[in-house]
Amino acid sequence: MLADKPGNVVVLSGNNKKKAEYITKSIDAGLNVLADKPMVIFPEDFPKLEDAFRVAAEKGIVLYDIMTERFEIATILQKMLSQKEEIFGKLQTGTEKVPAVTMASVHNFSKIVSGYSCSASGMVL
């Protein structure tokens, strides 16, 4: 992908252990990068990510986090409904041990997306 450059955008998903490396190499190769979260998981990789953002800006290319969930209709409706006291109720004051609101997220190791089987350890392009 880096040598042949079949396009100008790379989408990085999965294999979070090497994501900072993949981002850096893609940016250095002049590719626009769309990466899922997390972009880094090791504190020592954070400077690499900061450098990648700097290089991307210098080269005039894109490095974005593809947090698609914020645009999902279910998320938008959930936010709207939570702001309606007659539906959601009145928000209570929580504590660290007993929070007022909790949220859970499920990340499957394998799933079907657009008819294709995707693994959490794989890269989807």
Side-chain angles (χ1 to χ4, degrees), residues 5 20 46 58 64 71 77 86 89 93 95 101 104 107-108 114:
K5 291 188 188 171
F46 191 74
E58 289 171 1
Y64 283 135
F71 301 110
L77 290 173
E86 62 273 16
T93 302
T95 66
V101 176
H107 292 272
N108 297 302
S114 298

Side-chain angles (χ1 to χ4, degrees), residues 21-34:
E21 176 186 343
Y22 295 158
I23 289 170
T24 300
K25 287 182 177 181
S26 297
I27 292 295
D28 289 344
L31 297 168
N32 295 284
V33 175
L34 304 175

Side-chain angles (χ1 to χ4, degrees), residues 7-24:
N8 66 351
V9 177
V10 62
V11 178
L12 299 174
S13 176
N15 199 345
N16 296 324
K17 290 180 183 178
K18 294 187 176 187
K19 184 123 8 116
E21 176 186 343
Y22 295 158
I23 289 170
T24 300

Side-chain angles (χ1 to χ4, degrees), residues 7-118:
N8 66 351
V9 177
V10 62
V11 178
L12 299 174
S13 176
N15 199 345
N16 296 324
K17 290 180 183 178
K18 294 187 176 187
K19 184 123 8 116
E21 176 186 343
Y22 295 158
I23 289 170
T24 300
K25 287 182 177 181
S26 297
I27 292 295
D28 289 344
L31 297 168
N32 295 284
V33 175
L34 304 175
D36 73 345
K37 62 180 185 345
M39 286 187 173
V40 295
I41 58 172
F42 303 112
E44 60 271 16
D45 284 340
F46 191 74
K48 294 177 191 175
L49 182 62
E50 289 179 311
D51 192 50
F53 274 105
R54 182 187 56 75
V55 172
E58 289 171 1
K59 290 185 173 194
I61 57 178
V62 172
L63 171 53
Y64 283 135
D65 174 6
I66 50 174
M67 293 181 56
T68 56
E69 188 172 318
R70 74 180 109 177
F71 301 110
E72 293 288 330
I73 189 65
T75 302
I76 294 168
L77 290 173
Q78 186 178 34
K79 179 181 178 181
M80 290 172 61
L81 291 172
S82 72
Q83 295 171 341
K84 301 267 186 203
E85 191 173 317
E86 62 273 16
I87 295 171
F88 183 77
K90 187 172 173 107
L91 189 62
Q92 302 295 311
T93 302
T95 66
E96 187 175 328
K97 290 187 178 186
V98 183
V101 176
T102 60
M103 184 173 170
S105 179
V106 176
H107 292 272
N108 297 302
F109 289 106
S110 181
K111 60 185 176 180
I112 304 294
V113 177
S114 298
Y116 296 94
S117 178
C118 301

